Coordinates of all heavy atoms in Angstrom, one line a residue:
Chain P
R341 N 112.1 -87.2 181.6 CA 111.9 -85.9 182.2 C 111.4 -86.0 183.6 O 111.9 -85.4 184.6 CB 111.0 -85.0 181.3 CG 110.6 -83.7 182.0 CD 111.7 -82.7 181.9 NE 111.3 -81.3 182.3 CZ 111.5 -80.3 181.5 NH1 112.0 -80.4 180.3 NH2 111.2 -79.1 181.9
T348 N 113.9 -81.8 185.6 CA 114.8 -80.9 184.8 C 115.7 -81.7 183.9 O 116.3 -82.6 184.5 CB 115.6 -80.0 185.8 OG1 114.8 -79.5 186.7 CG2 116.4 -78.9 185.0
R361 N 113.5 -79.1 168.5 CA 112.8 -78.1 167.6 C 113.4 -78.2 166.2 O 112.6 -78.2 165.2 CB 113.1 -76.7 168.1 CG 112.5 -76.5 169.5 CD 112.7 -75.1 170.0 NE 112.1 -74.1 169.1 CZ 112.7 -73.2 168.4 NH1 114.0 -73.1 168.5 NH2 112.0 -72.3 167.7
I364 N 112.0 -81.5 164.4 CA 110.6 -81.5 164.0 C 110.4 -80.5 162.9 O 109.7 -80.7 161.9 CB 109.7 -81.1 165.2 CG1 109.9 -82.3 166.3 CG2 108.3 -81.0 164.8 CD1 109.0 -82.1 167.5
K365 N 111.1 -79.3 163.0 CA 110.9 -78.3 162.0 C 111.5 -78.8 160.6 O 110.8 -78.7 159.6 CB 111.7 -77.0 162.4 CG 111.1 -75.8 161.7 CD 111.8 -74.5 162.2 CE 111.0 -73.9 163.3 NZ 111.4 -72.6 163.6
V368 N 109.0 -81.3 159.2 CA 107.8 -80.7 158.6 C 108.2 -80.1 157.3 O 107.4 -80.2 156.3 CB 107.2 -79.7 159.6 CG1 106.0 -79.0 158.9 CG2 106.6 -80.4 160.8
V428 N 101.4 -73.0 172.2 CA 102.5 -72.3 172.7 C 103.1 -71.2 171.8 O 103.3 -70.1 172.2 CB 103.7 -73.3 173.1 CG1 104.9 -72.6 173.7 CG2 103.2 -74.3 174.0
S429 N 103.2 -71.5 170.5 CA 103.8 -70.6 169.5 C 102.9 -69.3 169.4 O 103.5 -68.2 169.4 CB 104.0 -71.2 168.2 OG 102.8 -71.9 167.8
V432 N 103.3 -67.2 172.6 CA 104.6 -66.5 172.6 C 104.6 -65.3 171.6 O 105.1 -64.3 171.9 CB 105.7 -67.5 172.3 CG1 107.0 -66.9 171.9 CG2 105.9 -68.5 173.5
A433 N 103.9 -65.6 170.5 CA 103.9 -64.5 169.5 C 103.0 -63.3 169.9 O 103.3 -62.2 169.5 CB 103.4 -65.1 168.1
S435 N 102.1 -62.4 173.2 CA 102.3 -61.8 174.5 C 102.9 -60.4 174.5 O 102.4 -59.5 175.2 CB 103.2 -62.8 175.4 OG 102.6 -64.0 175.5
K439 N 101.1 -57.0 176.1 CA 101.8 -56.7 177.4 C 101.4 -57.7 178.5 O 101.1 -57.4 179.7 CB 101.4 -55.3 177.9 CG 101.8 -54.2 176.9 CD 103.3 -53.9 176.9 CE 103.7 -53.0 175.8 NZ 105.1 -53.2 175.4
A440 N 101.4 -59.0 178.2 CA 101.0 -60.0 179.2 C 102.2 -60.2 180.1 O 103.4 -60.2 179.8 CB 100.7 -61.3 178.5
P442 N 104.8 -62.2 182.3 CA 105.4 -63.5 182.0 C 104.9 -64.6 182.9 O 104.7 -65.7 182.4 CB 106.9 -63.3 182.4 CG 107.1 -61.8 182.0 CD 105.8 -61.1 182.4
A443 N 104.5 -64.3 184.1 CA 104.0 -65.4 185.0 C 102.6 -65.9 184.5 O 102.3 -67.1 184.5 CB 103.8 -64.9 186.4
V445 N 101.8 -65.8 181.3 CA 102.1 -66.6 180.1 C 102.5 -68.0 180.4 O 102.1 -69.0 179.8 CB 103.2 -65.9 179.2 CG1 103.5 -66.7 178.0 CG2 102.8 -64.5 178.9
A446 N 103.3 -68.1 181.5 CA 103.7 -69.4 182.0 C 102.5 -70.3 182.3 O 102.4 -71.5 182.0 CB 104.6 -69.3 183.2
L447 N 101.5 -69.7 183.0 CA 100.3 -70.4 183.4 C 99.5 -70.8 182.2 O 98.9 -71.9 182.1 CB 99.4 -69.5 184.3 CG 99.7 -69.6 185.8 CD1 98.8 -68.7 186.6 CD2 99.6 -71.0 186.4
I449 N 100.6 -71.3 179.1 CA 101.3 -72.3 178.4 C 101.1 -73.7 179.1 O 100.8 -74.7 178.5 CB 102.8 -72.0 178.2 CG1 102.9 -70.9 177.2 CG2 103.6 -73.2 177.8 CD1 104.4 -70.4 177.1
A450 N 101.2 -73.7 180.4 CA 101.0 -74.9 181.2 C 99.6 -75.5 180.9 O 99.4 -76.7 180.8 CB 101.2 -74.7 182.7
L453 N 99.4 -76.9 177.3 CA 100.2 -78.2 177.2 C 99.4 -79.3 177.9 O 99.4 -80.4 177.4 CB 101.6 -78.0 177.8 CG 102.5 -77.2 177.0 CD1 103.9 -77.0 177.7 CD2 102.7 -77.8 175.6
S488 N 100.6 -77.3 168.1 CA 101.1 -78.0 166.9 C 101.9 -79.2 167.1 O 101.8 -80.2 166.4 CB 102.0 -77.0 166.1 OG 101.2 -75.9 165.7
G489 N 102.8 -79.2 168.1 CA 103.6 -80.4 168.4 C 102.7 -81.6 168.7 O 103.0 -82.7 168.2
V519 N 99.2 -72.3 161.0 CA 100.4 -71.5 161.3 C 100.5 -70.3 160.4 O 100.9 -69.2 160.9 CB 101.6 -72.5 160.9 CG1 102.9 -71.7 160.9 CG2 101.7 -73.6 161.9
S554 N 107.5 -59.8 161.1 CA 108.2 -60.4 162.2 C 107.6 -61.7 162.7 O 108.3 -62.5 163.3 CB 108.1 -59.4 163.4 OG 106.8 -59.1 163.7
F559 N 109.5 -71.2 158.1 CA 109.7 -72.6 157.7 C 108.6 -73.0 156.7 O 108.7 -73.9 155.9 CB 109.7 -73.5 158.9 CG 108.4 -73.9 159.4 CD1 107.7 -75.0 158.9 CD2 107.7 -73.1 160.3 CE1 106.4 -75.4 159.4 CE2 106.5 -73.4 160.8 CZ 105.8 -74.6 160.4
Y604 N 110.0 -82.7 176.9 CA 109.6 -81.3 177.3 C 108.3 -81.3 178.0 O 107.8 -80.2 178.3 CB 109.6 -80.4 176.1 CG 111.1 -79.9 175.8 CD1 111.7 -80.4 174.7 CD2 111.7 -79.0 176.6 CE1 113.0 -80.0 174.4 CE2 113.0 -78.6 176.4 CZ 113.6 -79.1 175.3 OH 114.9 -78.7 175.0
D606 N 106.5 -81.7 181.2 CA 106.8 -81.8 182.7 C 105.5 -81.8 183.4 O 104.8 -80.7 183.5 CB 107.7 -80.5 183.0 CG 108.1 -80.6 184.5 OD1 107.5 -81.3 185.3 OD2 109.2 -80.0 184.8
G608 N 105.0 -81.8 186.5 CA 105.0 -80.9 187.7 C 104.5 -79.5 187.2 O 103.7 -78.9 188.0
E609 N 104.9 -79.1 186.1 CA 104.5 -77.8 185.6 C 103.0 -77.8 185.2 O 102.2 -76.8 185.4 CB 105.3 -77.3 184.4 CG 106.7 -76.9 184.8 CD 107.7 -76.8 183.6 OE1 107.3 -77.2 182.5 OE2 108.9 -76.5 183.8
A612 N 100.6 -77.6 188.0 CA 100.5 -76.3 188.6 C 99.7 -75.3 187.8 O 99.5 -74.2 188.3 CB 101.9 -75.7 188.8
K616 N 92.1 -68.7 186.2 CA 91.2 -68.5 185.1 C 91.7 -69.1 183.8 O 90.9 -69.6 183.0 CB 90.8 -67.1 185.0 CG 89.8 -66.7 186.1 CD 89.5 -65.2 186.2 CE 88.7 -64.9 187.4 NZ 88.6 -63.5 187.6
Chain R
W279 N 113.1 -69.5 180.1 CA 112.1 -69.4 179.0 C 112.4 -70.3 177.8 O 111.5 -70.9 177.2 CB 111.8 -68.0 178.6 CG 110.9 -67.3 179.5 CD1 111.2 -66.4 180.4 CD2 109.5 -67.5 179.7 NE1 110.1 -66.0 181.2 CE2 109.0 -66.7 180.7 CE3 108.6 -68.4 179.0 CZ2 107.7 -66.7 181.1 CZ3 107.2 -68.3 179.4 CH2 106.8 -67.5 180.5
S280 N 113.7 -70.4 177.5 CA 114.1 -71.2 176.3 C 113.7 -72.7 176.6 O 113.1 -73.3 175.7 CB 115.6 -71.1 176.1 OG 115.9 -71.7 175.0
D281 N 113.9 -73.2 177.7 CA 113.6 -74.6 178.1 C 112.1 -74.7 178.2 O 111.5 -75.6 177.7 CB 114.3 -75.0 179.4 CG 113.9 -76.4 179.7 OD1 114.3 -77.3 178.9 OD2 113.3 -76.7 180.8
Y282 N 111.4 -73.7 178.8 CA 110.0 -73.8 179.1 C 109.2 -73.8 177.8 O 108.2 -74.5 177.7 CB 109.6 -72.6 180.0 CG 108.1 -72.8 180.5 CD1 107.8 -73.8 181.4 CD2 107.1 -72.0 180.0 CE1 106.5 -74.0 181.8 CE2 105.8 -72.2 180.4 CZ 105.5 -73.2 181.3 OH 104.2 -73.4 181.8
T283 N 109.7 -73.1 176.8 CA 108.9 -73.1 175.5 C 109.6 -74.1 174.5 O 109.4 -74.0 173.3 CB 108.9 -71.7 174.9 OG1 110.3 -71.3 174.7 CG2 108.2 -70.7 175.7
G284 N 110.2 -75.1 175.1 CA 110.9 -76.1 174.2 C 110.0 -76.9 173.3 O 110.4 -77.4 172.3
H285 N 108.7 -77.0 173.7 CA 107.7 -77.7 172.9 C 107.4 -77.0 171.6 O 106.9 -77.5 170.7 CB 106.4 -77.9 173.6 CG 106.5 -78.0 175.1 ND1 106.9 -77.0 175.9 CD2 106.2 -79.1 175.9 CE1 106.8 -77.4 177.1 NE2 106.4 -78.6 177.2
D286 N 107.7 -75.7 171.7 CA 107.3 -74.8 170.6 C 108.2 -74.8 169.5 O 109.1 -74.0 169.3 CB 107.2 -73.3 171.2 CG 106.9 -72.3 170.2 OD1 106.3 -72.7 169.2 OD2 107.3 -71.1 170.4
W287 N 108.0 -75.8 168.6 CA 109.0 -76.0 167.5 C 108.7 -75.1 166.3 O 109.6 -74.9 165.5 CB 108.9 -77.5 167.0 CG 107.5 -77.9 166.5 CD1 106.5 -78.4 167.2 CD2 107.0 -77.7 165.2 NE1 105.4 -78.6 166.4 CE2 105.7 -78.2 165.1 CE3 107.6 -77.2 164.0 CZ2 104.9 -78.2 164.0 CZ3 106.8 -77.2 162.8 CH2 105.5 -77.7 162.9
L288 N 107.5 -74.5 166.2 CA 107.3 -73.8 165.0 C 107.6 -72.3 165.0 O 107.6 -71.7 164.0 CB 105.8 -74.0 164.5 CG 104.6 -73.7 165.3 CD1 104.3 -72.2 165.2 CD2 103.4 -74.5 164.6
S289 N 107.7 -71.7 166.2 CA 108.1 -70.3 166.3 C 109.5 -70.1 165.6 O 110.4 -70.9 165.9 CB 108.2 -69.8 167.7 OG 106.9 -69.7 168.2
G290 N 109.6 -69.1 164.9 CA 110.9 -68.7 164.3 C 111.8 -68.2 165.4 O 111.3 -67.8 166.5
T292 N 113.1 -65.4 165.6 CA 112.8 -64.0 165.8 C 111.7 -63.9 166.8 O 111.7 -63.1 167.8 CB 112.3 -63.3 164.5 OG1 113.0 -63.9 163.4 CG2 112.5 -61.8 164.6
V293 N 110.6 -64.7 166.6 CA 109.5 -64.7 167.6 C 109.9 -65.1 169.0 O 109.6 -64.4 169.9 CB 108.3 -65.6 167.0 CG1 107.2 -65.6 168.0 CG2 107.8 -65.0 165.7
R294 N 110.6 -66.2 169.0 CA 111.1 -66.7 170.4 C 112.0 -65.7 171.0 O 111.8 -65.4 172.2 CB 111.8 -68.0 170.2 CG 110.9 -69.2 170.2 CD 111.7 -70.4 169.7 NE 112.7 -70.9 170.7 CZ 112.5 -71.7 171.6 NH1 111.3 -72.3 171.8 NH2 113.4 -72.1 172.4
A296 N 112.2 -62.5 170.4 CA 111.4 -61.3 170.8 C 110.7 -61.5 172.1 O 110.7 -60.6 173.0 CB 110.5 -60.9 169.7
Y297 N 110.1 -62.7 172.3 CA 109.4 -63.0 173.5 C 110.4 -63.0 174.7 O 110.1 -62.4 175.8 CB 108.6 -64.3 173.5 CG 107.9 -64.5 174.8 CD1 106.9 -63.7 175.2 CD2 108.5 -65.4 175.7 CE1 106.3 -63.8 176.5 CE2 108.0 -65.5 177.0 CZ 106.9 -64.7 177.4 OH 106.4 -64.8 178.6
Y300 N 111.3 -59.7 175.6 CA 110.2 -59.0 176.3 C 110.1 -59.4 177.7 O 110.0 -58.6 178.7 CB 108.9 -59.3 175.5 CG 107.7 -59.0 176.3 CD1 107.3 -57.6 176.5 CD2 106.9 -60.0 176.8 CE1 106.1 -57.4 177.2 CE2 105.8 -59.7 177.6 CZ 105.4 -58.4 177.8 OH 104.3 -58.1 178.5
A301 N 110.2 -60.8 177.9 CA 110.0 -61.3 179.3 C 111.2 -60.8 180.2 O 111.0 -60.4 181.4 CB 110.0 -62.8 179.3
E304 N 110.4 -57.2 181.2 CA 109.4 -57.2 182.2 C 110.0 -57.6 183.6 O 109.7 -57.0 184.6 CB 108.3 -58.2 181.9 CG 107.4 -57.7 180.7 CD 106.7 -56.4 181.0 OE1 105.9 -56.4 181.9 OE2 106.9 -55.5 180.3
D305 N 110.9 -58.5 183.5 CA 111.6 -59.0 184.8 C 112.4 -57.8 185.4 O 112.4 -57.6 186.6 CB 112.6 -60.1 184.4 CG 111.9 -61.5 184.7 OD1 110.7 -61.5 185.0 OD2 112.6 -62.5 184.5
R335 N 114.6 -71.6 190.9 CA 114.9 -72.4 192.0 C 116.4 -72.7 192.2 O 116.9 -72.8 193.3 CB 114.1 -73.7 192.0 CG 114.4 -74.6 190.8 CD 113.5 -75.8 190.7 NE 113.8 -76.7 189.6 CZ 113.4 -76.4 188.3 NH1 112.7 -75.4 188.1 NH2 113.7 -77.3 187.4
E336 N 117.1 -72.9 191.1 CA 118.5 -73.2 191.1 C 119.3 -72.0 191.6 O 120.3 -72.1 192.4 CB 119.1 -73.6 189.7 CG 118.6 -74.9 189.3 CD 119.0 -75.3 187.9 OE1 119.7 -74.5 187.2 OE2 118.4 -76.3 187.4
W357 N 105.5 -66.8 193.2 CA 105.0 -66.2 191.9 C 106.1 -65.5 191.2 O 106.3 -64.3 191.4 CB 103.8 -65.2 192.3 CG 103.1 -64.6 191.1 CD1 103.4 -63.3 190.6 CD2 102.1 -65.1 190.3 NE1 102.6 -63.1 189.5 CE2 101.7 -64.2 189.4 CE3 101.4 -66.3 190.4 CZ2 100.7 -64.4 188.4 CZ3 100.4 -66.5 189.4 CH2 100.1 -65.6 188.5
G359 N 107.9 -65.6 187.2 CA 108.1 -66.2 185.9 C 107.7 -67.6 185.7 O 106.6 -68.0 186.1
T360 N 108.6 -68.4 185.1 CA 108.2 -69.8 184.9 C 108.2 -70.6 186.2 O 107.6 -71.7 186.3 CB 109.2 -70.5 183.9 OG1 110.5 -70.4 184.5 CG2 109.1 -69.9 182.6
T362 N 106.4 -69.9 188.5 CA 105.0 -69.8 189.0 C 104.3 -71.2 188.7 O 103.4 -71.5 189.5 CB 104.3 -68.7 188.1 OG1 105.0 -67.5 188.3 CG2 102.8 -68.6 188.5
V363 N 104.8 -71.9 187.7 CA 104.1 -73.2 187.4 C 104.9 -74.4 188.1 O 104.8 -75.5 187.6 CB 103.9 -73.4 185.9 CG1 102.9 -72.5 185.4 CG2 105.2 -73.3 185.2
R364 N 105.7 -74.1 189.1 CA 106.3 -75.2 189.8 C 106.1 -75.0 191.3 O 105.8 -73.9 191.8 CB 107.8 -75.1 189.6 CG 108.3 -75.5 188.2 CD 109.7 -76.0 188.2 NE 109.7 -77.3 188.9 CZ 109.7 -78.4 188.2 NH1 109.6 -78.4 186.9 NH2 109.7 -79.6 188.8
R368 N 108.8 -77.0 197.3 CA 109.0 -78.5 197.3 C 110.3 -78.8 196.6 O 111.1 -79.7 197.0 CB 107.9 -79.2 196.7 CG 107.8 -80.7 197.1 CD 106.7 -81.4 196.4 NE 106.9 -81.5 195.0 CZ 106.2 -82.1 194.1 NH1 105.1 -82.7 194.6 NH2 106.5 -82.2 192.8
D387 N 94.8 -63.6 191.8 CA 93.5 -63.8 191.1 C 93.7 -63.4 189.6 O 93.5 -62.2 189.3 CB 92.5 -62.9 191.8 CG 91.1 -63.1 191.2 OD1 90.8 -64.2 190.7 OD2 90.3 -62.2 191.3
I388 N 94.0 -64.3 188.8 CA 94.1 -64.0 187.4 C 93.1 -64.8 186.5 O 92.6 -65.8 187.0 CB 95.5 -64.2 186.8 CG1 95.9 -65.7 186.8 CG2 96.5 -63.4 187.5 CD1 97.0 -66.0 185.9

Side-chain angles (χ1 to χ4, degrees):
Chain P
R341 171 76 172 235
T348 311
R361 295 179 67 241
I364 297 181
K365 203 175 268 192
V368 173
V428 181
S429 48
V432 165
S435 301
K439 304 284 172 206
V445 179
L447 274 180
I449 289 176
L453 287 178
S488 293
V519 169
S554 62
F559 83 92
Y604 279 106
D606 186 335
E609 288 166 354
K616 288 173 185 167
Chain R
W279 278 105
S280 186
D281 181 61
Y282 190 68
T283 56
H285 331 65
D286 175 22
W287 61 269
L288 61 77
S289 289
T292 326
V293 174
R294 275 166 68 89
Y297 177 72
Y300 163 76
E304 290 297 299
D305 265 5
R335 59 184 182 280
E336 288 173 9
W357 184 263
T360 58
T362 304
V363 291
R364 291 205 70 95
R368 201 183 64 175
D387 183 28
I388 67 164

